[in-house]
Amino acid sequence: MNDIVLNYREELVYSLIVLVILIFIQFILKKAANKVGKKSEINITRTRLMFKYINILVVLIAAFLMALAWGVGIAELALIFSSVFAVIGVALFAIWSILSNITSGIILFFSFPYKIGDTIKIHDKDLPVEAVIEDIKAFHLHLRTREGELITYPNNLILQKAVSLIEHSDFDEGKDAL
């Protein structure tokens, strides 16, 4: 055991430093997402979704840095990552709309002016919608019409269409009064 520690001392120290720094960065990013969520009065489930994205980002960065620390050369890493991204790129090209909706979900987290409970009107010439926002998910919004119909509206389309606020929910205003 001592031989392993002595032989790989630099790699172990570098790995420990990288892990500590990445845990700190992850903490800062989660704190920032939580602050944005609270400031914008975003539902906690949407904030937790951002936490998952942050975790994925930190794990990918950690894998890259650990590979460098343990002696995998830049050329080998470039080959591995380019091969992996080529396969992922081909696979994701077939499901590009999913990526579009995930990206739109991230954008909606930070800049969507409407909240759960608000009544909105989507100005779409093919399917005009007036409904209450029931939930905002990673891929789509759940909208409930006055007739009780549940509409699942993709996040990428909500960013492409004009949206009007018909009625603001009183749910958040009621919390302040308590």
Side-chain angles (χ1 to χ4, degrees):
M1 180 71 174
N2 285 337
D3 291 340
I4 294 172
V5 172
L6 290 176
N7 289 338
Y8 296 106
R9 181 177 29 175
E10 288 181 27
E11 290 88 351
L12 290 171
V13 169
Y14 180 80
S15 298
L16 183 64
I17 290 170
V18 165
L19 287 175
V20 168
I21 290 172
L22 287 177
I23 288 171
F24 179 72
I25 290 171
Q26 181 182 28
F27 174 76
I28 296 295
L29 289 174
K30 284 185 174 182
K31 193 121 176 123
N34 197 28
K35 188 175 182 178
V36 168
K38 284 184 179 179
K39 183 179 178 185
S40 302
E41 298 174 356
I42 295 172
N43 192 324
I44 189 67
T45 55
R46 291 181 60 209
T47 304
R48 288 186 185 140
L49 181 64
M50 284 298 116
F51 292 169
K52 288 180 185 179
Y53 294 151
I54 290 168
N55 289 340
I56 291 169
L57 175 68
V58 169
V59 166
L60 289 175
I61 292 171
F64 177 75
L65 293 175
M66 290 301 168
L68 283 177
W70 288 91
V72 178
I74 299 262
E76 290 88 5
L77 276 177
L79 178 65
I80 290 169
F81 275 100
S82 65
S83 300
V84 167
F85 284 124
V87 170
I88 290 172
V90 169
L92 293 180
F93 179 74
I95 53 171
W96 67 269
S97 65
I98 292 176
L99 279 180
S100 174
N101 283 317
I102 290 174
T103 305
S104 298
I106 293 170
I107 293 169
L108 289 177
F109 177 78
F110 289 106
S111 65
F112 196 53
Y114 312 114
K115 312 250 181 295
I116 294 174
D118 287 353
T119 303
I120 61 170
K121 181 176 183 179
I122 302 170
H123 303 279
D124 185 355
K125 69 176 185 170
D126 298 328
L127 178 69
V129 175
E130 185 173 325
V132 176
I133 301 173
E134 274 193 358
D135 201 0
I136 303 172
K137 304 276 188 184
F139 298 102
H140 54 269
L141 282 93
H142 284 175
L143 305 171
R144 181 79 58 185
T145 64
R146 295 186 195 275
E147 295 79 29
E149 178 183 15
L150 177 65
I151 298 174
T152 305
Y153 205 82
N155 286 342
N156 62 349
L157 290 182
I158 199 77
L159 291 178
Q160 296 174 13
K161 306 294 180 187
V163 180
S164 301
L165 179 64
I166 303 298
E167 182 181 340
H168 182 66
S169 74
D170 294 331
F171 178 72
D172 293 331
E173 295 164 6
K175 284 193 310 190
D176 295 338
L178 294 177

